Amino acid sequence: MTARTGRRLLNAYVVAMMVFLALPIAIVIPSAFGEGGDLSFPPRGFSLKWFGAILERPELMAAAANSAAIALVATAVSLVVGTLSAVALRRYSFPGRGALMTLFMAPLVFPAIVLAAAIAMVLAPLGLIRTFQGLVLAHIVVVLPYVVRTVSATLAEIDRAWEEAALTLGASPWQGFRTVTLPLLRPGLVAGATFSLIISFDEFTISLFLVGSGMMTLPIEMYNYAEFSLDPTLAAVSTLLILLTTLAVLAVERTVGLGKQFS
Amino acid sequence: MSGPAKGVALSGVAKWYGKVPAVRGLDLEVAPGEMVSLLGPSGCGKTTTLRMVAGLEAPDAGEIRIGGTRANEVPPWRRNIGMVFQSYALFPHKSVAENIAYGLVMRRLPRAEVAARVADAMRQVQLQGLDERVPSQLSGGQRQRVALARALVTRPDVLLFDEPLAALDRKLRERMQVEIRQLQRAVGITTIFVTHDQDEALTLSDRIVVMEGGRIVQSGTPGEIYERPGSHFVSDFIGMMNALRATVTGRAEDGGLRVRLEPGGRELAVAGPAGMAAGDGVELMLRPEKVRLNPPAGAGLIHVGGTVAHVVYLGAVTYLHVGTPDGLVIAMLPNAGGDAAAPRQGDAVTLGWRAADMVCFAPPRDA
């Protein structure tokens, strides 16, 4: 095989993979702008009426509000807890540090369904099923590893000498943290918060065990909706979610750079 | 200065990292206003010692006193010290002026005084006009000056340097050495300077403390350390040295040693340490600049003939590597400005030196 054919095959493979990954998204967005009442592709005509239809679905609106509130609270808590955990895990050595680090990362590798069942078994006796608080607690478990990870990665780039310089200049450890470490952690905090918001808003498996009438999240309400009607309203909601996520990721990429968080 | 200069005293200070001793029972007094260098190879415990004075490491044994007061339990932020780090450790998210002001802001000084003292400090280190720059926009020398200003502006009792010039190129390093020394003299601040660079230690210090393996092996003025090294290690570490191998043959009447140079078999009388007995192997240490080329006969010198094996021309000086029956001898010839041609490779020469310029030590055990 010549280098040129090899190169062509590689190009073809890359294009095929990208189409495969992007195809569902490429189909759902045009579907949201169709005139017809079914989810057909390619869509017929052009209309924005399905975006308007979202507003006439109180259950979707309520679920979206729930999801947003859960994501915000879970993210806020995770930022504080995750930052403190990352600082402890990175900056101090103590017995059980390795085990604790593994524990923090466990939700990333655990099968979500196992985690979901386990969380439900813990929350049920506490009366936290079908409550906002229960969902927030469960989502914290899911998003915390992402915050710990991004903050740790940023912390690794913060020279200890900066913190030590602050101490020798008269700053107490807390003042040093507030005036030196925390401002330098900003990129990690922004990235961690963005991932946390997106992942919580999108969380399905674990939420499925915890929701119920009166306390639904958007992904599950969308699933319920799809069971009964397959009109483009769902495509419209999906399009809005894609738009929001893309904007968030772009904002992070612009301000702090995403590549760094996965190095 | 918040008052008269304060001294630093360490007594019996020790520090282990796990089971590895980093500093073992160190006694050191730094007089008020004195500039002391801790000099030694990496791993000798000099940086650990400095960090214990700063309070960034806690000693496992012994006592550290600053200005006569026990400081062991005082955290770094209450020790009133200034420290210049190896990497400078300038805050990357703060401007030059904010970096310098940091210690003053932490001390809650009024804003007007902070501004005035920052401006003063910037003038002192010739950084005027760079207030708004951030560290990444500065050259190595400028960063060094910011670090120095930041450490001095709080008027600390003790100034600590952790190999701050290692990253600079040679010219700039030499200029900064002079600047630091002048500034230190002008302010009269007690200073401890850690370095592995002997020239730096010689340039900067009132006193050099040579460390090896967590201990002080010699302490003295630059002249004392250079002219009268107390051990093979010190003589080898500071400056260039010839080491001629010899065997002790007995004691001389004046208390010196009689030795026989190893390859050549020449017998000499030299000053030597006590505890040497006939049959012991020793090394005779001789500075290249004490060796004279083709000296007149009968000047009371030891004369050795040899052949030039290699010539190292450095401009200001030339080093001749001369193979002699007694081993390789390096001679340093100053560039006297005349056009008297220096010997070339292969030339036969005679070298001469005074017996008193040789110092005799037991060779290091691992040699």
Side-chain angles (χ1 to χ4, degrees), chain B residues 30 44 131 139 151 160 237 277 295 299-300 325:
Chain B
V30 183
C44 73
D131 314 47
S139 72
L160 306 171
F237 194 74

Side-chain angles (χ1 to χ4, degrees), chain B residues 240-309:
Chain B
M240 198 188 262
M241 271 290 187
N242 288 296
L244 301 173
R245 289 172 26 151
T247 307
V248 178
T249 56
R251 282 269 163 202
E253 298 81 50
D254 60 353
L257 286 174
R258 305 194 57 77
V259 300
R260 188 179 63 239
L261 288 176
E262 251 343 302
R266 176 196 297 263
E267 299 257 355
L268 295 170
V270 294
M276 288 283 179
D280 285 351
V282 292
E283 285 189 356
L284 304 178
M285 313 296 279
L286 175 67
R287 296 259 179 229
E289 70 269 23
K290 311 271 187 185
V291 180
R292 290 161 64 184
L293 178 69
N294 298 327
L301 301 178
I302 296 165
H303 286 92
V304 180
T307 310
V308 176

Side-chain angles (χ1 to χ4, degrees), chain B residues 8-10 27-31 34 36 207:
Chain B
V8 176
L10 281 68
D27 295 307
L28 172 66
E29 289 231 14
V30 183
E34 191 183 19
V36 168
R207 189 151 56 93

